C-alpha cells in the first residue's frame, strides 16, 4: 500500500504462511528489477531478479512476478520463516544507458511470528 | 575478499567537519556504486564508477560531496563542511562489469552522524 514519510508498509505473518510483498514502479523504460532484503544494521542483500522480457521467475522459496502493463512487481515467499523478518525493497534499473542507477521503492517491513 | 567492505562502520562528526568514507568492492568487480539511505527510506543513488572514472554522478546532492576511485578498486566518498542533514547510512555496492541488467552487491554501510 501507500506510505508517507517514515511509515513503511508492514506485513505480519505466522511462521509457515506464504507472504506476498508488492511494489509499484514508475519508469516504463525500466528493464531490470531486483528484490533486496535488508536486516537491521546491514546492507541490502540480493534475493532475486527478473528481466523485463519475463513475467515470472522462481528461486528457492521465492517467486517474483512482473506485470509491465500496470508497472507492478511482487515477491512471494513460501513457508515464511522467522529469519525472513526484515525490510524488503524492490529496485528497478532504467533502460538505455542508466546502467548504474538503481531506483528503490520505499520498502515493506515483514514480521514473521513463530 | 568475500564481499563488499566499508570502513568505518560508524562515524560521528561535528557540523562543519570533513569526512571520508571508504569502500572496498568485491575483487574483480569493475563497477562501483555509492548510495545514501536515510532512516525509513530506500537507498538513493549518488554516483557510479566504471573503472577509475565516474560514469554517472547525477545523484550527488551538491558540491560538498565528491568521490574518487584512483586505481579502479577502492573508492572514497568525501563530504566537506558536513551538515546535520548529511546524517544517514552510506552504502557502497559493486558489480562485475557495470553493464545493463547486472546485479549490484551491497556492503554493510557506514552510519554517519553529524552533530
Amino acid at each position: 500500500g501507500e506510505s508517507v514519510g517514515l511509515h513503511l508498509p508492514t506485513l505480519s505473518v505466522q511462521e509457515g504462511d506464504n507472504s506476498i510483498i508488492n511494489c509499484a514502479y514508475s519508469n516504463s523504460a525500466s528493464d531490470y528489477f531486483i528484490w533486496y532484503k535488508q536486516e537491521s544494521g546491514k546492507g541490502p542483500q540480493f534475493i532475486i531478479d527478473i528481466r523485463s522480457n519475463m513475467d515470472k521467475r522462481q528461486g528457492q522459496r521465492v517467486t517474483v512476478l512482473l506485470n509491465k502493463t500496470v508497472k507492478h512487481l511482487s515477491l512471494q515467499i513460501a513457508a515464511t520463516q522467522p529469519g525472513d523478518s526484515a525490510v524488503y525493497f524492490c529496485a528497478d534499473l532504467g533502460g538505455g544507458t542508466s546502467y548504474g542507477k538503481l531506483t528503490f521503492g520505499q520498502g515493506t517491513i515483514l514480521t514473521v511470528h513463530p | 575478499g568475500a564481499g563488499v567492505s566499508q570502513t568505518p562502520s560508524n562515524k560521528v562528526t561535528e557540523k562543519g567537519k570533513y569526512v571520508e568514507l571508504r569502500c572496498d568492492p568485491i575483487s574483480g568487480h569493475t563497477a562501483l556504486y555509492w548510495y545514501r539511505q536515510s532512516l525509513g527510506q530506500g537507498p538513493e543513488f549518488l554516483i557510479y564508477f566504471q573503472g577509475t572514472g565516474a560514469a554517472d554522478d547525477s545523484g550527488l546532492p551538491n558540491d560538498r560531496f565528491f568521490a574518487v576511485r584512483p586505481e579502479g578498486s577502492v573508492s572514497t566518498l568525501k563530504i566537506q563542511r558536513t551538515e546535520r542533514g548529511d546524517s544517514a547510512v552510506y552504502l557502497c555496492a559493486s558489480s562485475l562489469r557495470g553493464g545493463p541488467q547486472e546485479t549490484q552487491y551491497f556492503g554493510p554501510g557506514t552510519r554517519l552522524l553529524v552533530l
Side-chain angles (χ1 to χ4, degrees):
Chain A
E2 292 291 327
S3 63
V4 178
L6 300 180
H7 302 286
L8 297 180
T10 59
L11 176 64
S12 280
V13 300
Q14 291 296 127
E15 182 177 3
D17 287 352
N18 297 330
S19 302
I20 299 176
I21 300 171
N22 296 301
C23 176
Y25 64 94
S26 58
N27 185 358
S28 57
S30 294
D31 59 4
Y32 180 58
F33 305 86
I34 311 175
W35 280 99
Y36 285 96
K37 170 187 179 183
Q38 188 172 29
E39 296 174 284
S40 182
K42 298 184 179 180
Q45 175 189 356
F46 172 84
I47 301 174
I48 190 167
D49 59 2
I50 188 168
R51 288 162 173 75
S52 58
N53 61 351
M54 303 170 68
D55 298 323
K56 178 180 180 179
R57 189 166 190 220
Q58 289 185 292
Q60 188 176 11
R61 282 201 308 119
V62 294
T63 301
V64 55
L65 299 178
L66 174 62
N67 185 330
K68 294 181 289 294
T69 302
V70 295
K71 296 200 284 265
H72 183 268
L73 201 64
S74 68
L75 177 70
Q76 301 177 1
I77 305 174
T80 316
Q81 303 167 0
D84 294 328
S85 295
V87 180
Y88 288 80
F89 292 98
C90 66
D92 66 272
L93 203 54
T97 58
S98 304
Y99 296 161
K101 195 171 181 177
L102 280 175
T103 300
F104 282 79
Q106 197 164 11
T108 296
I109 301 172
L110 174 65
T111 304
V112 183
H113 300 282
Chain B
V4 177
S5 62
Q6 293 186 246
T7 55
S9 53
N10 293 279
K11 177 70 177 178
V12 180
T13 191
E14 294 179 342
K15 180 176 179 293
K17 299 289 188 183
Y18 168 84
V19 297
E20 289 189 351
L21 312 178
R22 176 188 167 110
C23 172
D24 282 87
I26 293 172
S27 178
H29 280 195
T30 60
L32 184 147
Y33 315 82
W34 284 99
Y35 292 81
R36 178 169 69 174
Q37 186 173 27
S38 300
L39 187 64
Q41 304 290 322
E44 293 179 312
F45 172 82
L46 294 176
I47 186 170
Y48 150 49
F49 286 90
Q50 181 60 273
T52 60
D56 184 348
D57 64 356
S58 61
L60 294 177
N62 52 59
D63 61 6
R64 295 187 298 106
F65 288 75
F66 189 71
V68 296
R69 196 186 185 202
E71 297 178 355
S73 178
V74 170
S75 176
T76 304
L77 179 65
K78 308 181 180 193
I79 310 174
Q80 298 177 320
R81 305 183 304 280
T82 51
E83 300 177 357
R84 293 194 179 88
D86 297 335
S87 297
V89 176
Y90 288 83
L91 294 163
C92 177
S94 71
S95 68
L96 187 59
R97 287 179 297 273
Q101 303 184 350
E102 197 172 81
T103 302
Q104 297 179 22
Y105 297 94
F106 283 81
T110 293
R111 282 145 194 82
L112 176 65
L113 178 61
V114 182
L115 300 176

